C-alpha cells in the first residue's frame, strides 16, 4: 500500500496535485529576517495582552495521503521544533486560560499562545500527542464525533482522492453548473476549485455534487480502507493525559448552510457524545471551515443554548483583552510548506501586534 501511495504521489507532484515546496516571497523574507538577527529583536519587543491561537490540522507530509494535501500543517520534526521554540519564549495557554481570557476573568499580561488541532485525524494521536506530552504542553483537539475511529474519507478528502485518481484528464461537470476542469493544467488548482464550490455554494446538494465528481472522474466507489481518524480509546488517552478536547460538530457541515434546528442538533449531539465518552465537560467548539460565512447568528444562538463558552473561527484577526467575542475567537493557519523560519516570524509578530504581520 505504501509503495503504491509513493508511486501515486510521485505522479501527483509531477502533475501539481501536491503543494510545491518552492520558497514563497514570504518564506524568503522570513529567512532573511531570521538570518539577519531580526527574529531575536522581535522576540524581545514588548508583547500585547492578547491570545494568539495557532491552528493545525494534519501532522505528517502531504505526500503521505491519498486525500487532501492542503490539510497538512507540520511534519512531526517541525512540530517538535515549533513547540520547543514557543515554550522557550512565550506563555503557552491552556484552553481554560483562553476561556477565562475571552470572558474577561483574567488577563495574560503578555501574549498567550494556544495550540489547536482540528478534525481528529489519527496522525494527531500518533505524532502531535506524544510531542506535546513530552514537552508538557496542552494542545486542544477539536473532534468531529461522526468521524471517530472512521476509515471513511471526509468530503474534502473524497474530492481530493477522486481528482488524484481520475481516469479522465478533462473533468466535465454538469452540476451545480457546467464546468470543465483540465487536470493537465494542475490537479491542485482543480481540487481547490471544487473545494471552493463545496464550501461556498448555498443550497448545494452536497451528495449529488460528490456523485457528479465521481461520475465525471470515472472513479466510482474506489476508496482507501485504512483508518484515518483517531478512535474513542485514543481520544480518551489524550484527554486523560493533559490534552484538552472540544467539538468540531458531529458531521463537519458548513453550519451556516443548515437550518437553525439542524445547527443546534450538530453542536448539541457532538457535545453530548464527547462528554459521555470522556467524562468531562465540553465547553469549546471550532467552526468547520471557520470562514466568516461558515457560521451565523443562528449558530451562535445554538452554541448558547447548548452551553458552549467559547468558539473558534479560522480567518485571522486579533484577540485583544476586552475586545474579543467569545463566539468568534480568531485563529491563524499553520502550513507545512511555510517552514520554521516563517512560522517563527509569524508567531513572534503576532505576540507583538496581536496577529501575524504576514
Ligand atoms: Zn475541520
Amino acid at each position: 500500500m505504501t509503495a503504491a501511495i509513493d508511486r501515486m504521489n510521485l505522479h501527483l507532484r509531477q502533475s501539481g496535485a501536491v503543494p510545491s515546496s518552492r520558497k514563497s516571497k514570504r518564506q524568503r523574507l522570513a529567512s532573511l529576517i531570521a538570518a539577519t538577527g531580526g527574529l531575536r529583536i522581535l522576540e524581545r519587543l514588548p508583547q500585547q495582552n492578547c491570545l494568539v491561537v495557532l491552528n493545525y490540522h494534519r501532522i505528517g507530509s502531504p505526500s503521505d495521503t491519498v486525500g487532501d494535501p492542503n490539510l497538512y500543517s507540520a511534519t512531526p520534526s517541525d512540530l517538535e521544533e515549533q513547540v520547543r521554540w514557543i515554550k522557550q519564549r512565550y506563555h503557552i495557554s491552556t484552553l481554560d486560560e483562553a476561556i477565562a481570557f475571552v470572558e474577561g476573568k483574567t488577563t495574560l499580561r503578555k501574549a498567550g499562545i494556544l495550540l489547536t488541532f482540528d478534525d481528529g485525524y489519527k496522525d494527531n494521536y500518533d505524532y502531535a500527542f506524544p510531542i506535546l506530552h513530552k514537552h508538557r504542553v496542552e494542545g486542544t483537539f477539536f473532534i468531529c464525533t461522526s468521524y471517530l475511529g472512521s476509515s471513511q474519507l471526509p468530503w474534502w478528502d473524497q474530492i481530493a482522492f477522486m481528482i488524484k485518481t481520475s481516469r479522465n484528464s478533462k473533468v466535465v461537470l454538469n452540476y451545480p453548473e457546467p464546468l470543465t476542469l483540465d487536470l493537465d493544467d494542475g490537479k491542485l488548482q482543480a481540487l481547490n476549485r471544487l473545494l471552493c464550490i463545496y464550501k461556498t455554494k448555498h443550497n448545494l446538494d452536497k451528495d449529488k455534487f460528490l456523485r457528479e465528481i465521481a461520475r465525471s472522474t470515472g472513479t466510482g466507489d474506489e476508496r482507501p480502507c485504512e483508518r484515518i481518524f483517531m478512535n474513542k480509546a485514543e481520544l480518551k488517552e489524550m484527554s486523560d493525559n493533559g490534552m484538552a478536547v472540544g467539538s468540531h460538530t458531529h458531521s463537519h457541515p458548513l453550519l451556516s448552510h443548515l437550518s437553525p434546528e439542524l445547527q443546534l442538533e450538530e453542536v448539541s449531539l457532538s457535545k453530548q457524545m464527547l462528554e459521555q465518552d470522556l467524562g468531562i465537560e465540553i465547553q469549546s467548539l471550532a467552526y468547520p471551515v471557520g470562514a466568516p460565512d461558515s457560521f451565523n447568528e443562528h449558530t451562535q444562538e445554538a452554541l448558547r443554548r447548548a452551553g458552549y463558552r467559547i468558539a473558534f473561527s479560522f480567518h485571522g484577526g486579533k484577540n485583544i483583552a476586552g475586545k474579543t467575542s467569545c463566539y468568534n475567537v480568531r485563529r491563524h493557519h499553520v502550513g507545512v510548506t511555510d517552514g520554521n523560519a516563517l512560522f517563527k516570524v509569524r508567531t513572534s509578530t503576532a505576540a507583538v501586534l496581536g496577529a501575524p504581520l504576514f
Side-chain angles (χ1 to χ4, degrees):
M1 181 76 176
T2 308
I5 291 175
D6 286 349
R7 268 199 309 280
M8 183 166 76
N9 276 316
L10 176 64
H11 166 70
L12 294 172
R13 258 194 304 283
Q14 288 162 349
S15 67
V18 170
S20 164
S21 57
R22 225 176 31 214
K23 278 197 169 184
S24 67
K25 268 188 198 160
R26 294 187 318 153
Q27 285 171 304
R28 288 200 296 272
L29 182 57
S31 298
L32 186 67
I33 290 170
T36 54
L39 194 55
R40 281 198 297 280
I41 294 169
L42 281 169
E43 289 165 17
R44 290 191 190 116
L45 291 175
Q47 295 174 26
Q48 285 257 5
N49 176 8
C50 67
L51 179 68
V52 176
V53 190
L54 303 180
N55 190 197
Y56 294 81
H57 287 82
R58 300 197 69 173
I59 304 302
S61 165
S63 59
D64 292 342
T65 184
V66 295
D68 184 356
N70 294 303
L71 267 280
Y72 283 83
S73 301
T75 61
S77 60
D78 277 356
L79 177 65
E80 178 143 30
E81 165 64 14
Q82 291 167 10
V83 169
R84 189 185 292 118
W85 178 85
I86 299 173
K87 194 177 172 187
Q88 285 169 352
R89 289 159 181 81
Y90 299 101
H91 171 65
I92 298 187
S93 287
T94 63
L95 179 62
D96 284 344
E97 285 175 336
I99 292 172
F101 174 82
V102 299
E103 291 180 345
K105 292 176 180 161
T106 184
T107 61
L108 296 165
R109 294 191 302 281
K110 290 181 174 183
I113 315 281
L114 182 71
L115 305 177
T116 67
F117 297 78
D118 283 11
D119 299 325
Y121 279 97
K122 186 172 178 293
D123 55 52
N124 285 194
Y125 171 79
D126 290 338
Y127 303 123
F129 170 47
I131 290 168
L132 296 168
H133 191 251
K134 174 178 155 189
H135 291 277
R136 300 184 185 283
V137 165
E138 181 188 277
T140 301
F141 293 82
F142 291 105
I143 303 297
C144 276
T145 38
S146 70
Y147 295 166
L148 271 175
S150 174
S151 53
Q152 293 238 312
L153 294 179
W155 53 262
W156 57 92
D157 280 332
Q158 269 186 49
I159 296 173
F161 180 73
M162 291 189 283
I163 289 296
K164 285 177 168 186
T165 57
S166 177
R167 295 204 174 93
N168 307 317
S169 61
K170 275 200 173 28
V171 174
V172 182
L173 288 98
N174 300 316
Y175 179 81
E177 57 209 8
L179 174 67
T180 300
L181 299 167
D182 189 342
L183 301 189
D184 291 335
D185 290 344
K187 287 187 172 179
L188 193 61
Q189 290 94 312
L191 167 62
N192 289 339
R193 183 88 187 269
L194 296 174
L195 292 174
C196 181
I197 293 171
Y198 191 104
K199 290 175 188 174
T200 58
K201 189 119 186 129
H202 277 258
N203 304 319
L204 180 76
D205 180 335
K206 294 181 166 65
D207 289 339
K208 184 174 176 182
F209 184 50
L210 293 178
R211 286 197 302 275
E212 180 66 356
I213 300 170
R215 182 201 58 75
S216 59
T217 51
T219 46
D221 289 331
E222 295 167 47
R223 295 287 179 272
C225 56
E226 286 178 359
R227 179 162 68 87
I228 53 171
F229 288 99
M230 67 174 83
N231 62 28
K232 286 181 191 176
E234 290 161 347
L235 182 62
K236 175 86 170 121
E237 183 187 340
M238 290 168 64
S239 172
D240 288 347
N241 286 280
M243 301 298 123
V245 176
S247 163
H248 200 35
T249 72
H250 182 60
S251 63
H252 206 286
L254 273 290
L255 285 165
S256 60
H257 294 193
L258 301 182
S259 67
E261 294 74 26
L262 283 176
Q263 293 199 44
L264 181 60
E265 197 176 304
E266 278 283 342
V267 302
S268 302
L269 180 59
S270 61
K271 187 174 191 297
Q272 284 162 15
M273 290 176 71
L274 289 170
E275 288 179 345
Q276 199 169 14
D277 290 342
L278 305 176
I280 58 171
E281 190 182 355
I282 298 297
Q283 308 182 87
S284 62
L285 176 138
Y287 300 115
V289 180
D293 60 355
S294 307
F295 54 99
N296 57 25
E297 70 275 15
H298 299 299
T299 322
Q300 298 184 328
E301 177 56 25
L303 295 179
R304 255 186 291 279
R305 287 180 60 187
Y308 286 95
R309 292 170 71 184
I310 190 169
F312 295 85
S313 58
F314 184 43
H315 55 87
K318 300 178 182 181
N319 304 311
I320 304 294
K323 295 181 182 166
T324 301
S325 160
C326 62
Y327 286 158
N328 189 6
V329 180
R330 312 304 183 92
R331 297 191 295 173
H332 304 287
H333 169 259
V334 180
V336 72
T337 55
D338 288 353
N340 282 340
L342 181 55
F343 174 88
K344 291 172 185 177
V345 170
R346 280 172 56 80
T347 305
S348 55
T349 53
V352 173
L353 303 169
L357 185 58
F358 55 86

